[in-house]
Every structure is written in C-alpha cells, then in structure tokens.
Amino acid sequence: TGRDWQVRLSRRVHEEMKRHMLERCPDETGGVLVGSVFLYARTVVVTGVIPAPLDSIEERDRFVLGIDGLKRAISSIEQKTNGKVTYLGTWHSHPLGGGASLIDKATYQKLVRVRRREPTVCLIVSHDEVFLV
C-alpha cells in the first residue's frame, strides 16, 4: 500500500502469525493475508490468514509461498463473505530478526504489479514486531 494508506491488524491475527512462527522456528514461514479494503478511508483491515500451502519452502533464511490449493481457499472465503473479505497479500517470518531484505522488497513490487496496483500488504513478523515491507 502507499504511504497514505493505513493497515490495521487485529491482535488475534498477530497472535496467530506469531504462534505459527514459533512452531516453525528457526525456519522462516508465512502465509496469505485476507481482509477488507476501504478505498474512501484508505484503510486495509487484515482479518485473517491462510496457512502456507504444503508446497511452500520453509528454510532458515528463506520462505517461498507455495500455490497448492491457494486459489480454492481464497475463492471459498470470498464466496462465504460475499466478496467482503478477499486476498490482500502475504506475510512471512523473520524469527532471527532483521528487516526486509532486497528479495522481500522485490517480491512486494512484483505482487503489486500482479495485483494491478490494488492495495497490497506484505508483512514481516519477528519475535517483537510486525512491519510492512
């Protein structure tokens, strides 16, 4: 999202991401963010996460989100919420700390292009913080 946009994240979603990170430590892990976009308010609200598909790669210094079953999971959420909750972007962990890498930044730019400049959120979760790529 642009600098003039706000991203809101519930405590429940934050706790779920952190719990998943701790389960996979010391490897990086991640998943998909879902929620709602409010154009007039320029706010993205993250309401849930979809766990990483089984074909994802989780290693000590890298996470690659897989695709197996992801379209189906997103479509199911969109159907159940009449399109009010949708795909927003991705999250991954840095259990050993550190900010966004050049790969993280390039991945975010690619995701923005693929989403045709729709509001897009990429988050990094560490032990003590969550930040935007």
Side-chain angles (χ1 to χ4, degrees):
T1 62
R3 294 186 192 276
D4 56 340
W5 279 76
Q6 290 186 358
V7 176
R8 303 229 172 138
L9 179 70
S10 75
R11 175 171 283 150
R12 180 187 56 78
V13 170
H14 179 218
E15 288 171 357
E16 186 174 346
M17 291 187 298
K18 193 166 180 177
R19 179 185 49 76
H20 195 66
M21 176 189 68
L22 293 172
E23 288 173 0
R24 297 287 198 251
C25 221
D27 291 340
E28 290 188 8
T29 190
V32 169
L33 302 169
V34 295
S36 301
V37 175
F38 299 92
L39 293 174
Y40 182 74
R42 300 183 78 74
T43 301
V44 176
V45 179
V46 180
T47 58
V49 294
I50 298 172
L54 295 177
D55 62 332
S56 298
I57 299 168
E58 297 177 325
E59 296 175 342
R60 190 173 186 91
D61 59 355
R62 149 178 111 123
F63 171 74
V64 179
L65 183 67
I67 59 169
D68 190 32
L70 210 46
K71 278 188 177 182
R72 186 172 45 250
I74 293 167
S75 292
S76 174
I77 289 168
E78 289 174 339
Q79 272 187 322
K80 289 176 184 173
T81 64
N82 202 21
K84 289 180 175 39
V85 175
T86 190
Y87 170 75
L88 298 174
T90 63
W91 75 275
H92 75 280
S93 65
H94 282 185
L96 304 176
S101 68
L102 293 176
I103 293 171
D104 295 336
K105 292 174 183 177
T107 300
Y108 171 71
Q109 291 303 322
K110 180 180 177 185
L111 194 55
V112 168
R113 282 192 305 277
V114 167
R115 289 180 41 79
R116 296 187 173 102
R117 304 218 128 340
E118 287 289 322
T120 302
V121 178
C122 287
L123 298 177
I124 295 177
V125 177
S126 69
H127 286 280
D128 33 339
E129 64 182 327
V130 175
F131 55 92
L132 292 166
V133 172

